[in-house]
Amino acid sequence: MITLRPVVLAGTDGLRAHPLSTAECPQKFLSFLGMDSSFQDTLERVSDPEFLLPLIVTTPALKDIVQDQCDDIAYEYEEILLLDETAGEAMAALVAAEWAMARKETYPLLVIPSDHFVADQGAFMRAVTDACLTAEKGYMVSFGVVADRLSSEHSYLEVGARLDTRYSGHHVPSIHQRPSREVVEQTLQHGPYVWNAGLLCACPDPLIAELKRQHGALSGRVNLSLEEGVLVKSEKRCVVSLLTTWADLTTWPGIWKALTLIET
């Protein structure tokens, strides 16, 4: 059985879904998809026996709502880590990795946004298992989902050679970051590509080394995403397949997609 430490990202994410989302209450804390918010759904998604208690990374301004939402579903977490709202996902990953290293933990970290919709928990766990096996070999592992429409809102990962016949990790020769529609049409004609779902799996020591190699102290570089801060310049980047319906709930198309699936 695999063992890993979830790192749940619960900071601000901009206002792309305004007016549903506000700085005081991002949409991840609203229950418009059902009884629970997407933040609570994410906590429950990482509650299988393979997962250690999660770290939750948020901002001082959102700490109380994070605590209230955990209390609402009687959810037990390991610790809440507070970062400035300008810190970004890459800094959150670094702080979590340093937290783990200080406690001599070598388990892979699963850095996971809390504003996604994932339809099938079984498919999610199969992808997580593949990601763990790949991360333990020192890779920076992203999660790829089938691009079900032409979109300039998502980044496209090129699916290269398979790393090992025993699991679905593949090299990522190139990344096209939120290309225009014309570029998307051209890109998809020249090889297999998937959307980057925005999760990252990596072991603490290799992740720290990768971030410091690329950015030094990182403290002067704010608001770097996991993709920009880790994957784009990494020589150890790869992707595993998340073979289920997925939606980004920070965008209106993603919200409508999730609502349509839930209603049907």
Side-chain angles (χ1 to χ4, degrees), residues 3 18 34 43 73 80 90 106 125 129 140 145 155 169 174 198 200 215 226 235 256:
T3 302
H18 183 77
L43 295 178
I73 59 173
I80 295 178
T106 60
M125 288 307 302
T129 299
M140 305 293 109
V145 294
S155 294
S174 66
L200 179 74
H215 308 292
L226 293 173
E235 297 176 355
W256 294 130

Side-chain angles (χ1 to χ4, degrees), residues 181-192:
R181 184 181 180 90
E182 292 75 21
V183 173
V184 170
E185 291 174 344
Q186 295 172 6
T187 296
L188 296 182
Q189 293 174 3
H190 298 287

Side-chain angles (χ1 to χ4, degrees), residues 5 8 39 43 52-56 63 66-71 74-81:
R5 175 78 69 181
V8 179
F39 169 68
L43 295 178
L52 301 171
L53 293 178
L55 300 175
I56 301 173
K63 181 183 179 182
V66 164
Q67 185 63 65
D68 289 345
Q69 294 235 321
C70 290
D71 292 344
Y75 192 88
E76 186 179 357
Y77 54 83
E78 185 66 43
E79 192 168 337
I80 295 178
L81 304 179

Side-chain angles (χ1 to χ4, degrees), residues 9 13 20 40 48 78 86 89 115 126 159 203 209 260:
L9 303 178
D13 54 16
L20 179 66
Q40 292 169 324
D48 281 26
E78 185 66 43
T86 63
E89 295 174 342
D115 39 29
R126 287 191 291 274
V159 181
C203 290
T260 299

Side-chain angles (χ1 to χ4, degrees), residues 129-196:
T129 299
D130 285 348
C132 271
L133 294 172
T134 310
E136 287 172 349
K137 298 183 182 298
Y139 286 94
M140 305 293 109
V141 188
S142 56
F143 288 62
V145 294
V146 174
D148 57 13
R149 59 187 170 86
L150 295 178
S151 172
S152 58
E153 295 176 338
H154 302 293
S155 294
Y156 289 75
L157 307 176
E158 182 182 3
V159 181
R162 198 181 190 106
L163 297 170
D164 193 300
T165 58
R166 294 171 295 176
Y167 46 87
S168 73
H170 287 73
H171 284 288
V172 176
S174 66
I175 300 176
H176 296 267
Q177 294 183 279
R178 294 176 173 79
S180 67
R181 184 181 180 90
E182 292 75 21
V183 173
V184 170
E185 291 174 344
Q186 295 172 6
T187 296
L188 296 182
Q189 293 174 3
H190 298 287
Y193 285 86
V194 292
W195 281 343
N196 181 13

Side-chain angles (χ1 to χ4, degrees), residues 47-115:
S47 296
D48 281 26
E50 292 85 347
F51 293 106
L52 301 171
L53 293 178
L55 300 175
I56 301 173
V57 185
T58 190
T59 64
L62 297 175
K63 181 183 179 182
D64 288 345
I65 193 170
V66 164
Q67 185 63 65
D68 289 345
Q69 294 235 321
C70 290
D71 292 344
D72 184 55
I73 59 173
Y75 192 88
E76 186 179 357
Y77 54 83
E78 185 66 43
E79 192 168 337
I80 295 178
L81 304 179
L82 299 179
L83 292 180
D84 185 87
E85 62 182 10
T86 63
E89 295 174 342
M91 178 64 80
L94 175 61
V95 169
E98 290 177 336
W99 180 97
M101 289 297 292
R103 288 155 181 80
K104 300 186 180 344
E105 283 192 9
T106 60
Y107 302 116
L109 301 172
L110 178 68
V111 186
I112 179 170
S114 56
D115 39 29

